[in-house]
Amino acid sequence: MALKFDTDFDPSYGQGVTVAPDVLRITAKNPSPFTFYGTNSYIVGRKTLAVIDPGPDDDAHLETLLEVIGDRPVSHIFVSHTHRDHSPLAARLKQHTGAIVLAEGPHRPARPLRIGEINPLDASADTAFNPDIALPDDSMVDGDGWAIRTVLTPGHTANHAAFALEGTGILFSADHVMAWATSIVAPPDGAMADYMASLDRLIERDDRLLLPGHGGPVTAPRSFMRELKTHRRMRERAILEQIRSGDRTIKEMVAAIYRDTDPRLHGAAGLSVLAHLEDLVARGLVSTDGDPAIDGIFRPPG
């Protein structure tokens, strides 16, 4: 069963788009194979505002945010996670607005680097980010006519958080669940076991609309996330089948499993396969010598 993605999206660069009552979306012009048309920032409220995911350190995007905000005060800036397309503009927006910056915490990997391992994701991490307030799971922040609850969703990154707009059924899902593509889960910054557990947690909620970090909304969240979970399990089974058929390296598995995928994404696909293999080795379904590694040799157990 192929997961059905929705790639119909108008970024409307340079302006705010109403996506729900008192919620505006502003898309940064930083398109790429990983960001789709760009990073979505959200402005919540009517009088005193909150900004969710200010985005990359980009002059034009900051100018648009300030134009849409106008003379209204901003009390809070929420950051879902510390990738450079989501968090760096928080510091400059804070300088302009005086708002406090909130997030789960600074950037950190899901696990420590292993001996001799180099983190291929260093360039994408905003290691300079440090929130004014660290948000624990299920914490509530009350604003002027709005309230936002933190729902921690590690997986894409260790510090990934979604934000629920209380009383509306709206969840800002950032990069955990997106309508246009699957989330990249890449060790050591991300962990597949964490991602799947977080996905189960969101499936158990009753949100009616997900507003993601890239692309358009997820309008039937529970059914889409169940399909997303099935897709991940099918990818897991495909990896196991490739190993049983004789593949021993991640490069071989990527060539077979992602043969129809944009070659520019094969590096990320390899890290995603590694994330699955870390989980499969931990569950005793795959064997390898030592810790799972991007250049490791993998085989059936026993």
Side-chain angles (χ1 to χ4, degrees):
M1 180 184 68
L3 186 61
K4 296 178 181 178
F5 295 117
D6 183 0
T7 57
D8 184 14
F9 180 70
D10 178 4
S12 299
Y13 297 127
Q15 57 185 294
V17 177
T18 299
V19 291
D22 296 333
V23 180
L24 296 171
R25 182 186 67 217
I26 300 173
T27 303
K29 197 172 184 179
N30 60 327
S32 78
F34 300 99
T35 60
F36 198 34
Y37 283 92
T39 303
N40 293 331
S41 300
Y42 294 96
I43 296 176
V44 177
R46 187 175 301 175
K47 295 181 179 179
T48 301
L49 309 176
V51 175
I52 296 175
D53 276 353
D57 189 5
D58 178 84
D59 290 343
H61 190 53
L62 176 62
E63 182 178 342
T64 301
L65 285 172
L66 294 175
E67 285 178 356
V68 173
I69 290 166
D71 59 1
R72 294 175 293 178
V74 178
S75 58
H76 298 78
I77 299 169
F78 293 84
V79 174
S80 67
H81 65 293
T82 45
H83 278 157
R84 288 187 178 274
D85 58 321
H86 286 262
S87 57
L89 200 60
R92 293 174 65 188
L93 187 61
K94 176 183 176 178
Q95 289 177 349
H96 282 275
T97 64
I100 58 174
V101 178
L102 309 94
E104 188 273 354
H107 190 81
R108 67 182 189 281
R111 60 162 174 78
L113 281 175
R114 292 163 181 152
I115 295 174
E117 185 180 20
I118 297 173
N119 187 354
L121 307 171
D122 274 344
S124 65
D126 181 9
T127 55
F129 176 84
N130 199 28
D132 298 318
I133 295 177
L135 293 169
D137 189 37
D138 206 37
S139 57
M140 183 83 78
V141 176
D142 292 313
D144 183 5
W146 52 262
I148 290 176
R149 185 183 300 275
T150 297
V151 183
L152 295 187
T153 49
H156 176 65
T157 60
N159 66 353
H160 194 284
F163 300 111
L165 188 58
E166 284 292 290
T168 67
I170 294 171
L171 182 80
F172 298 92
S173 57
D175 285 8
H176 191 75
V177 179
M178 301 175 289
W180 75 283
T182 57
S183 175
I184 294 172
V185 181
D189 283 7
M192 189 60 67
D194 291 344
Y195 179 86
M196 296 300 285
S198 296
L199 189 61
D200 281 338
R201 183 182 187 193
L202 294 190
I203 290 172
E204 292 171 359
R205 292 176 54 86
D206 59 354
D207 301 300
R208 63 174 181 82
L209 182 71
L210 304 188
L211 297 176
H214 307 275
V218 178
T219 55
R222 186 168 283 174
S223 61
F224 181 79
M225 288 189 288
R226 286 191 181 118
E227 291 175 3
L228 187 57
K229 182 178 178 179
T230 299
H231 173 82
R232 292 284 185 179
R233 292 305 184 201
M234 289 177 64
R235 184 55 45 82
E236 178 182 281
R237 288 196 292 272
I239 291 169
L240 289 171
E241 288 170 4
Q242 291 305 125
I243 291 174
R244 290 174 189 137
S245 68
D247 284 358
R248 293 293 177 263
T249 68
I250 288 176
K251 184 176 181 180
E252 291 172 321
M253 297 177 214
V254 169
I257 297 170
Y258 292 88
R259 56 184 174 272
D260 297 326
T261 299
D262 185 338
R264 293 176 296 174
L265 299 177
H266 277 196
L271 290 171
S272 180
V273 170
L274 176 59
H276 276 291
L277 286 166
E278 287 186 343
D279 186 34
L280 290 167
V281 169
R283 291 156 56 195
L285 299 176
V286 173
S287 295
T288 188
D289 295 326
D291 294 316
I294 194 71
D295 58 353
I297 302 298
F298 300 90
R299 54 188 176 273

